[in-house]
Amino acid sequence: MLYTSTRDNALSVESASAIEKGISVEGGLFVPTEIPAVDASFFADLVGKSYIERAEAVLSLYLTDFTPEELHACVAGAYTNSFSSPAVAPVVKLHDNVHILELWHGPTCAFKDMALQLLPYLLTTAAKKGGSDKESVILVATSGDTGKAALEGFKDVNGTRILVFFPNDGVSPMQKLQMTTQAGNNVGVSAIYGNFDDAQTGVKKIFTDPAIRETLAEKGFAFSSANSINWGRLAPQIVYYISAYCDLLKKGEIANGEAINIVVPTGNFGNILAAYYAKKMGLPVKKLICASNANNVLTDFLTTGCYDRNRPFHTTVSPSMDILISSNLERLLYDLCGKDDAQLRAWMTSLNENGKYTVTDEILQEIKALFAAGCCDDTQTKQTIGEVYDTYNYLCDTHTAVAVRVYEDYRKQTGDTAPAVIASTASPFKFSAAVLEAVNNGAELPADEFGMVDALQAKTGVAAPVQLTALKGATPRFTGICKKEDMREVVFNMLGI
Ligand SMILES: *Cc1c(COP(=O)(O)O)cnc(C)c1O
């Protein structure tokens, strides 16, 4: 299978090269030139298999230039002993035919682990295959979850260095502690004075500066990306939707061939796009339901065909979905417009220059056939956490609650009662303040983060993940804060240049 760019159809590379490069030179995203097709027997064969075996079966259809031995080593390395659930991504029944797909049993308690545990293996294997003798330097700007998941994935991986920048006042106390206490010999973490955009802009500048690139190359380093636009982060996400379907078959919850609805709390459109690829492959999916918080640019787009980021940015209790430019949407549009790279260039230029673009009515109709979309605000999110806990005795985080709420609205409005799988993207203990407030019936909240974790455990009887409780009293290892102008120096220092 070959990959091309959403903005240049003349490009053609194998998966290893797409993963190594991360993003195409002209700014487009790598996409498979065709989507592999599977039928009911594919799912039937996987029912009795482990998550690792399922991952190998699915990924071998996309990463065709990896040998079976290479792929096995990558997948087994990523998913053996690193997830607290033996199922890796277990499916839990909420009620009747509504199921929760728990994607947060990895080392950092957020769904980013599902891909970022595997990416370092894929990237180092790809680099070897490509004959690169350079050490990969992964630069990350993060608003919280990606940074920690990338650090855990790349720590002590031979041939790689990883450096994460986060906004000093822009992450939760738990997220900050997770990053500043990071272990590993090849890791670096720095706060910056500024917001997430400043961090992101600074990283992009360093990435694209030819002089810096040259200096690095002379010293034996090459930049690479762990951002969600990397195909190596998207492909691993297709696996768990197929795995969830197999689990439902195994439990007798559905019949093979029966269509399910998939609900995804969405930010950068990566997670739900993976579900779209699963559907295109042949997974029986009725609707892909896209759930947003108050930053509802996607709800509007999927219902009107006009993408317009010119609107206020809201800081919400589901911060990993606080985003107004959903990069991975570009891959969906490329597919829906008949792989018209000129059209994609035009839309993305318009987004860049005017902050908006509008798709044709024909594409909008296709979108409406595939997707449903909805949004809810913080009050509704917390209300949903409380209701889900009271009614089903299930504790969910703020992002998952957005998905549950949007699904309930969808079910009421449409009467569509097909079996549903709701993606759960983080442990509730990562966002203890909002979750505790939701289930605490107005009682006063403890002042500090671990006080809230303890109170939430005491109130619900649900145990907090040890990855988080182990951080109590931990001494930060990385205490540096830099100005955005000094990010280059921090990178050079870390690399010993
Ligand atoms: C990143 C993230 C999301 C959004 O996922 P996208 O792939 O960006 O749409 C949702 N929930 C949590 C907890 C996340 O960390």
Side-chain angles (χ1 to χ4, degrees):
M1 166 167 309
L2 291 169
Y3 292 76
T4 187
S5 163
T6 50
R7 300 188 202 175
D8 181 7
N9 282 345
L11 226 118
S12 172
V13 298
E14 293 195 303
S15 79
S17 169
I19 291 168
E20 221 186 331
K21 292 193 170 88
I23 186 165
S24 187
V25 277
E26 79 299 331
L29 307 187
F30 289 111
V31 280
T33 48
E34 69 209 286
I35 294 169
V38 298
D39 59 21
S41 68
F42 183 81
F43 308 116
D45 286 346
L46 292 182
V47 166
K49 300 270 170 73
S50 68
Y51 192 84
I52 288 176
E53 290 167 317
R54 290 172 183 174
E56 282 181 64
V58 175
L59 291 173
S60 66
L61 302 173
Y62 284 97
L63 313 181
T64 49
D65 50 327
F66 284 62
T67 66
E69 293 74 27
E70 284 169 341
L71 201 55
H72 175 75
C74 289
V75 171
Y79 299 117
T80 307
N81 297 329
S82 42
F83 286 73
S84 62
S85 165
V88 180
V91 178
V92 175
K93 187 173 188 157
L94 189 62
H95 66 88
D96 304 302
N97 61 0
V98 179
H99 307 271
I100 303 277
L101 170 57
E102 293 183 345
L103 300 172
W104 42 264
H105 291 280
T108 78
C109 309
F111 98 96
K112 306 286 195 292
D113 288 327
M114 296 302 303
L116 278 165
Q117 282 293 301
L118 180 54
L119 181 67
Y121 290 97
L122 297 178
L123 194 66
T124 48
T125 308
K128 254 187 236 139
K129 293 170 80 68
S132 166
D133 56 353
K134 301 241 179 335
E135 219 175 318
S136 297
V137 179
I138 317 291
L139 282 190
V140 181
T142 184
S143 59
D145 289 335
T146 299
K148 178 61 183 178
L151 285 163
E152 274 301 313
F154 281 95
K155 81 167 176 217
D156 294 330
V157 173
N158 276 337
T160 72
R161 307 277 189 106
I162 173 155
L163 185 50
V164 171
F165 291 98
F166 70 87
N168 196 40
D169 298 318
V171 299
S172 80
M174 186 65 90
Q175 289 174 321
K176 186 185 252 183
L177 199 55
Q178 278 189 303
M179 288 187 279
T180 55
T181 55
Q182 178 66 44
N185 291 320
N186 63 338
V187 306
V189 175
S190 177
I192 72 153
Y193 295 109
N195 59 26
F196 170 66
D197 278 335
D198 295 323
Q200 170 117 329
T201 307
V203 162
K204 271 193 190 151
K205 250 192 209 152
I206 295 172
F207 251 126
T208 49
D209 185 324
I212 298 181
R213 203 166 267 269
E214 205 167 296
T215 309
L216 251 71
E218 278 167 20
K219 305 282 180 185
F221 296 111
F223 282 130
S224 194
S225 161
N227 194 279
S228 79
I229 48 172
N230 193 321
W231 179 253
R233 273 192 61 181
L234 210 50
Q237 298 179 351
I238 301 171
V239 176
Y240 49 70
Y241 291 111
I242 291 176
S243 177
Y245 193 82
C246 295
D247 281 344
L248 292 180
L249 283 176
K250 193 173 178 176
K251 293 180 194 179
E253 294 283 347
I254 55 172
N256 202 352
E258 187 173 354
I260 60 170
N261 286 318
I262 294 180
V263 194
V264 186
T266 298
N268 215 9
F269 210 76
N271 204 0
I272 196 165
L273 183 71
Y276 166 79
Y277 281 129
K279 177 176 165 63
K280 286 274 291 200
M281 287 172 77
L283 187 73
V285 178
K286 196 168 171 192
K287 282 277 183 197
L288 298 158
I289 302 170
C290 177
S292 303
N293 62 24
N295 296 294
N296 57 0
V297 62
L298 282 168
T299 315
D300 289 349
F301 173 70
L302 296 172
T303 47
T304 68
C306 175
Y307 195 98
D308 188 355
R309 61 154 303 194
N310 303 302
R311 59 180 74 211
F313 178 92
H314 300 286
T315 302
T316 74
V317 294
S318 45
S320 302
M321 294 153 67
D322 292 346
I323 186 161
L324 291 178
I325 299 187
S326 300
S327 326
N328 272 302
L329 191 58
E330 181 168 345
R331 286 186 162 114
L332 174 75
L333 294 177
Y334 178 77
D335 221 31
L336 296 185
C337 76
K339 309 189 173 185
D340 182 347
D341 55 351
Q343 177 65 81
L344 258 293
R345 287 196 298 274
W347 282 333
M348 293 305 132
T349 303
S350 173
L351 180 63
N352 228 352
E353 289 171 3
N354 315 315
K356 60 179 178 178
Y357 59 85
T358 305
V359 299
T360 62
D361 194 50
E362 196 187 336
I363 291 177
L364 177 61
Q365 294 318 316
E366 269 188 79
I367 287 174
K368 283 187 168 170
L370 290 161
F371 292 89
C375 58
C376 75
D377 63 18
D378 279 359
T379 307
Q380 293 166 319
T381 303
K382 286 187 242 179
Q383 195 183 26
T384 304
I385 293 172
E387 281 168 11
V388 167
Y389 180 67
D390 289 341
T391 316
Y392 309 116
N393 196 27
Y394 185 83
L395 190 66
C396 70
D397 95 295
T398 47
H399 304 77
T400 309
V402 169
V404 171
R405 174 63 180 235
V406 167
Y407 171 67
E408 284 174 351
D409 290 348
Y410 167 84
R411 195 166 158 133
K412 262 184 232 142
Q413 283 158 13
T414 60
D416 178 357
T417 56
V421 168
I422 300 175
S424 174
T425 50
S427 159
F429 290 94
K430 252 192 135 160
F431 304 95
S432 293
V435 175
L436 183 60
E437 198 192 324
V439 298
N440 217 22
N441 305 326
E444 204 174 313
L445 299 185
D448 69 295
E449 186 72 11
F450 288 97
M452 286 193 260
V453 170
D454 289 342
L456 190 54
Q457 292 193 98
K459 167 86 191 171
T460 61
V462 179
V466 288
Q467 302 94 300
L468 301 181
T469 52
L471 294 173
K472 187 175 178 177
T475 311
R477 177 182 170 201
F478 299 102
T479 51
I481 312 179
C482 71
K483 287 193 247 157
K484 55 187 177 190
E485 303 80 50
D486 299 336
M487 288 168 69
R488 189 186 81 130
E489 218 173 298
V490 174
V491 174
F492 282 7
N493 274 343
M494 190 227 173
L495 299 176
I497 293 176

